[in-house]
Amino acid sequence: MPYELELTTQQRRALTEAVIRYSEDYLGDLEAAPASWPPLPEDTIAQLGEAPAETGVELETLLAKLDAALASGINTSSGKFLSYIPSGGIYVSALGRLLGAVVNRYTGGTHGAPGLIAIEHGVIRWLCGLFGLPESSTGVLLSGGSTANLTATVAARGRLGHDFSDGVVYTSERAHHSVTKAATIAGIHPGRVRRIPADPALRIDMAKLRAAIEADRSAGLRPMLIVLSAGTTDTGTIDPLREGAAVAREAGAWLHVDGAYGGLFILTERGRQRLDGIELADSITIDAHKSLFLPFGVGGLLVRDEQALLTSLDERGSYMQDVPAHGAIPNYFALGPELTRPARGLETWLALQIHGVAAFRRALDDMLDLATGTAAALREVPGIEVVAEPELSIVAFLSTQGDAATHRIFNHMNRTGEIHVSSTTVDDRFIVRMAFLSQRTTPEVAARAEALVREAALA
């Protein structure tokens, strides 16, 4: 049957039911599915890349193609996905995304969907309160941590005026690559970006940070931005936030905390203790698609002073003259880089409201427990060294026999398809890392990961 662009009620119902059946089958099979698959055959790649037909194709045919497409890469929706930074992809948030796409309301400015923006702003206000930010604070939900780090960089740059050529950015050598990428996109010369070495605990070396700032000030340069990590991607290490805030204040620099991975552990008692000082930041990156377990595509930036974003980002064209002024219900185009944007607040709000905050707190505590328990178990394996005591939910380890032995463990763990881990480098040593951050990751998954390490290490 042909499908016009505006479907009939019967067509909508049939398509929706087919998608729901597919979704239920997918989730029902997820526990038994592998953590990763071998590369796609070339003929499958060619079939998946075929141009759209002139006339419509039945959904069943397309879902069969989707099956083929999904049987490749890393199974990031699985609880056995322990590589990089997992995303839980909770179902209620997916429903919120569907609702947002169906109502298709414009959430960039107050005139399009003031009710939806009020819902999103409520989530932002809750987040600002969670981090202990003042009443002057605000934020905006963005596509992810990279966009948030860029937006923070632009805000920090704006405090120096139009000529920021003498402004300097400081961050750790262990910081996420999006920090230096943001500086590049923001037009900051690479020669004005300082990557400060880490100390033995893998935190930014504060003495070397102070020395770099002093050297730059002596050379007539201005400290513009200091970026600290609230949980590095490599090892989950938290930089000294309170001490860093003091350094930033003394230098007159903007302090940004990249908490894309670890920031929302502040929901837990252990997280609050370990993130002490984060409330002193000028801006904080958070990713709900990481430590709130939402599907990919929901990050955010919180700022201490709303005016800092407005000064740097509130631009309008004549075609926007009917848009109300920024006020109690914000114009999000004035706080971030996007003019048109999805209803991210809806999918975040729906998940928080239906599950309740306590459910997320329990899940994050579970992740901390899995990391602590796994690190303790690995320390009992002969020849295995845990690189750093887990501060959050990442366990990084190596073989004391050298890189070749660590590679063998890494390959053995991924070759089985039972779990998927990723690697990094610390002090020129090859490191295996496991990140626990999916509500589907169970103690049984962690135990199997430990067993695979033991098998390879003792082989």
Side-chain angles (χ1 to χ4, degrees):
M1 137 184 9
Y3 291 100
E4 299 300 330
L5 294 183
E6 191 60 29
L7 300 174
T8 66
T9 300
Q10 182 179 2
Q11 287 173 325
R12 283 198 302 272
R13 183 173 293 119
L15 291 171
T16 301
E17 289 174 352
V19 168
I20 290 174
R21 285 195 303 272
Y22 185 92
S23 300
E24 288 300 321
D25 289 343
Y26 178 83
L27 293 174
D29 295 339
L30 193 54
E31 186 175 353
S36 61
W37 291 268
L40 284 173
E42 289 187 8
D43 59 339
T44 302
I45 294 174
Q47 291 170 8
L48 293 173
E50 290 174 348
E54 187 64 26
T55 56
V57 178
E58 289 297 329
L59 179 60
E60 287 73 14
T61 301
L62 300 176
L63 291 177
K65 282 195 170 185
L66 179 58
D67 276 337
L70 291 174
S72 63
I74 306 168
N75 194 351
T76 52
S77 56
S78 168
K80 295 174 281 191
F81 168 50
L82 307 179
S83 53
Y84 308 106
I85 303 293
S87 172
I90 56 176
Y91 190 72
V92 167
S93 186
L95 293 178
R97 185 167 295 184
L98 172 62
L99 289 171
V102 169
V103 300
N104 198 33
R105 297 290 294 274
Y106 173 72
T107 64
T110 62
H111 59 306
L116 289 182
I117 294 175
I119 283 174
E120 183 165 344
H121 192 53
V123 172
I124 292 293
R125 294 307 312 155
W126 171 72
L127 287 166
C128 287
L130 187 64
F131 284 94
L133 297 178
E135 282 299 313
S136 60
S137 63
T138 191
V140 56
L141 295 181
L142 299 162
S143 61
S146 295
T147 311
N149 287 341
L150 171 61
T151 305
T153 302
V154 170
R157 186 191 69 183
R159 295 209 304 187
L160 269 61
H162 294 296
D163 183 4
F164 51 86
S165 59
D166 59 350
V168 183
V169 175
Y170 306 86
T171 191
S172 168
E173 63 180 357
R174 310 300 321 173
H176 194 273
H177 77 275
S178 64
V179 173
T180 51
K181 183 176 181 178
T184 299
I185 297 173
I188 298 165
H189 192 278
R192 295 286 186 263
V193 179
R194 310 282 183 257
R195 291 178 60 83
I196 307 300
D199 65 16
L202 303 180
R203 301 180 177 93
I204 188 170
D205 190 311
M206 299 303 294
K208 291 179 180 177
L209 172 62
R210 286 189 171 92
I213 290 173
E214 186 58 36
D216 284 331
R217 294 176 81 170
S218 297
L221 301 176
R222 290 187 288 176
M224 178 172 66
L225 171 64
I226 297 173
V227 182
L228 303 179
S229 296
T232 59
T233 304
D234 286 329
T235 58
T237 303
I238 300 170
D239 285 329
L241 303 179
R242 186 167 293 278
E243 185 179 358
V247 171
R249 186 168 56 249
E250 294 163 7
W254 179 288
L255 175 64
H256 176 63
V257 175
D258 182 0
Y261 155 56
L264 285 165
F265 277 94
I266 202 167
L267 279 167
T268 70
E269 181 60 33
R270 284 173 286 180
R272 279 194 298 275
Q273 293 173 4
R274 294 166 191 175
L275 294 168
D276 176 58
I278 197 170
E279 70 279 3
L280 302 173
D282 292 296
S283 56
I284 303 169
T285 287
I286 51 100
D287 269 1
H289 63 217
K290 292 186 175 74
S291 37
L292 280 185
F293 311 101
L294 271 57
F296 291 122
V298 188
L301 178 71
L302 308 177
V303 293
R304 171 171 295 276
D305 182 7
E306 179 181 69
Q307 192 58 46
L309 288 183
L310 293 173
T311 299
S312 299
L313 294 161
D314 189 6
E315 297 284 349
R316 298 185 183 219
S318 58
Y319 41 81
M320 300 169 71
Q321 63 187 15
D322 302 325
V323 179
H326 184 89
I329 299 178
N331 287 311
Y332 282 125
F333 67 76
L335 301 175
E338 299 169 303
L339 181 57
T340 302
R341 57 197 293 279
R344 296 188 184 99
L346 180 58
E347 55 192 280
T348 310
W349 170 82
L350 194 69
L352 287 166
Q353 293 289 340
I354 285 184
H355 292 293
V357 174
F360 293 91
R361 183 176 294 112
R362 286 193 300 270
L364 289 170
D365 266 323
D366 288 345
M367 298 303 108
L368 294 174
D369 289 342
L370 286 177
T372 301
T374 299
L378 291 183
R379 287 193 183 94
E380 299 300 317
V381 179
I384 294 298
E385 175 189 337
V386 175
V387 173
E389 181 65 32
E391 291 190 89
L392 296 172
S393 66
I394 292 175
V395 179
F397 65 94
L398 53 77
S399 169
T400 57
Q401 302 302 309
D403 283 356
T406 309
H407 270 284
R408 285 196 298 273
I409 295 170
F410 173 75
N411 291 333
H412 176 70
M413 296 178 77
N414 283 342
R415 190 183 300 118
T416 66
E418 295 180 62
I419 62 167
H420 194 274
V421 296
S422 58
S423 68
T424 189
T425 303
V426 175
D427 295 332
D428 296 323
R429 297 181 298 174
F430 184 81
I431 305 291
V432 182
R433 55 184 299 287
M434 294 187 282
F436 298 97
L437 203 60
S438 169
Q439 77 284 358
R440 297 181 180 127
T441 300
T442 62
E444 290 73 23
V445 169
R448 184 55 186 150
E450 296 160 15
L452 290 170
V453 174
R454 189 179 294 272
E455 287 174 11
L458 301 180

